[in-house]
Amino acid sequence: MSGTLLRLHAVGAALALATLSLTACGDDFDHVKLTMAAGSPGGVYHALGTALADAWTRDPGIPRPQVANTAGSVDNLDRLRTNQAQVGFSAADAAEEKQKGDSGHKLYALARMHDDYLQVVVRDDLPATRLSDLKGLRVSVGAPDSGVRLIARRLLESADISPERDLRVQYLDLTTSADAMRNGALDAFFWSGGVPTNAVTTLATTVKLRMLDLGDVLPKLRQAYPVYGSATLPASAYQLGGGPIVTLVVRNFLLVNGTMSNDVAEALVKGLFQAQPSLVAASPVARSIEVRSAIETTPVELHPGAARYYRDAKI
């Protein structure tokens, strides 16, 4: 065999070996089965979770994860701890509280995601302008196992308001809250989510709404719970009446549990950032997902596989 033929044979063999290696690597993910705890339909978690499930099916090529409807952060964390879900979204405050427990699988973060804004949505035909004005009204403070209920409970306590004594309280998820307000059965509801949230945007097309300014009660809350920040929510966020409001803001994380291998975790993080255009199409909040801030997941430790991705990316 001539020297040229030998070289061509060697190149062909190398290409075949590389192809085999890539196929074998992809095959490793063929056996991965994931369930994602993604909140309620109409919420940002669910929109991003659905887009992520589609994206991860393309890259890294895992079988499409099941996107599970849940009550929200607290429910998501419980499912991760019990391995009913292997991936899930949570607000930082709920994750911080759940970290104090020692039962079930350990929680790890893949990335910091978007920030949630607390939105206290009220009918515009009511005179309520402050949190204390909710007394005596029909108010939903979030589903029982949701992060919304956790925030609502803490905020109302800071304002010396008892849900059971001072409100005609209900415990509804976002979709049910929006339906109840549309049907005239609810005066106000608490929601913590990215802005805009589709369910709120849709509700505002049929019911005149406004949001309460929380500037008078936030200092006491933030003193007790430093995990929260404050931010200004412009009226243009939902095209509502009135001006900008001051409200509470909390970080969101994409979490996994300790059953996940380093290779899978690293591949999911890579797929997350490659999928950002499709995430933005699913919800505008995804514009804030950025590789340099993604490592800011305190108080939850980064998964070793995620840490490897950020280290290799020189973050």
Side-chain angles (χ1 to χ4, degrees):
M1 188 179 292
S2 69
T4 300
L5 286 175
L6 281 171
R7 285 193 296 275
L8 288 173
H9 181 76
V11 169
L15 287 172
L17 182 59
T19 302
L20 182 63
S21 298
L22 286 172
T23 303
C25 181
D27 286 343
D28 288 343
F29 298 122
D30 290 344
H31 305 293
V32 174
K33 294 186 184 301
L34 297 178
T35 295
M36 188 184 313
S40 60
V44 171
Y45 285 172
H46 205 278
L48 294 180
T50 301
L52 264 181
D54 292 337
W56 283 339
T57 305
R58 297 188 297 270
D59 188 352
I62 63 175
R64 189 183 187 280
Q66 177 187 354
V67 180
N69 298 345
T70 70
S73 289
V74 176
D75 190 10
N76 294 350
L77 293 164
D78 287 338
R79 294 185 189 216
L80 287 168
R81 279 292 186 93
T82 57
N83 205 36
Q84 296 175 69
Q86 295 73 46
V87 186
F89 297 89
S90 176
D93 56 345
E96 180 181 56
E97 188 158 283
K98 188 62 67 173
Q99 286 285 89
K100 298 172 184 175
D102 57 2
S103 61
H105 295 283
K106 184 174 179 178
L107 300 173
Y108 291 96
L110 294 183
R112 174 185 175 178
M113 302 289 279
H114 62 285
D115 289 347
D116 272 353
Y117 291 78
L118 181 62
Q119 300 156 56
V120 185
V121 183
V122 299
R123 301 181 63 91
D124 193 51
D125 57 359
L126 295 173
T129 59
R130 298 181 302 169
L131 200 66
S132 58
D133 295 332
L134 295 180
K135 291 182 178 180
L137 299 182
R138 301 166 298 175
V139 182
S140 171
V141 294
D145 292 323
S146 67
V148 178
R149 186 178 178 187
L150 173 65
I151 294 178
R153 174 175 58 80
R154 289 176 171 181
L155 184 66
L156 291 168
E157 284 177 355
S158 296
D160 296 320
I161 298 173
S162 165
E164 288 73 24
R165 185 181 66 248
D166 297 324
L167 307 177
R168 294 161 66 185
V169 70
Q170 299 182 46
Y171 301 96
L172 309 176
D173 64 20
L174 173 61
T175 301
T176 311
S177 292
D179 288 343
M181 186 171 281
R182 188 177 294 110
N183 296 331
L186 196 67
D187 299 315
F189 65 85
F190 284 71
W191 167 247
S192 179
V195 175
T197 294
N198 288 339
V200 179
T201 300
T202 302
L203 178 63
T205 63
T206 57
V207 179
K208 283 192 172 183
L209 307 173
R210 70 170 176 276
M211 296 193 185
L212 298 188
D213 187 290
L214 304 175
D216 60 329
V217 294
L218 286 185
K220 185 177 178 180
L221 176 74
R222 294 185 63 202
Q223 184 175 14
Y225 301 102
V227 70
Y228 298 120
S230 64
T232 299
L233 184 64
S236 60
Y238 290 108
Q239 303 300 323
L240 304 181
I245 63 161
V246 176
T247 191
L248 174 156
V249 65
V250 61
R251 294 167 295 152
N252 276 292
F253 304 143
L254 183 62
L255 302 176
V256 297
N257 64 30
T259 67
M260 182 167 289
S261 73
N262 291 352
D263 288 344
V264 172
E266 181 179 20
L268 294 184
V269 177
K270 179 182 177 184
L272 164 68
F273 290 108
Q274 289 181 337
Q276 191 162 20
S278 60
L279 297 182
V280 171
S283 175
V285 304
R287 293 193 183 97
S288 65
I289 302 172
E290 197 271 326
V291 68
R292 292 191 178 277
S293 62
I295 62 173
E296 298 169 1
T297 62
T298 304
V300 183
E301 178 184 348
L302 277 172
H303 190 287
R308 187 168 68 191
Y309 171 84
Y310 295 117
R311 185 167 56 250
D312 291 346
K314 303 294 191 288
I315 302 302

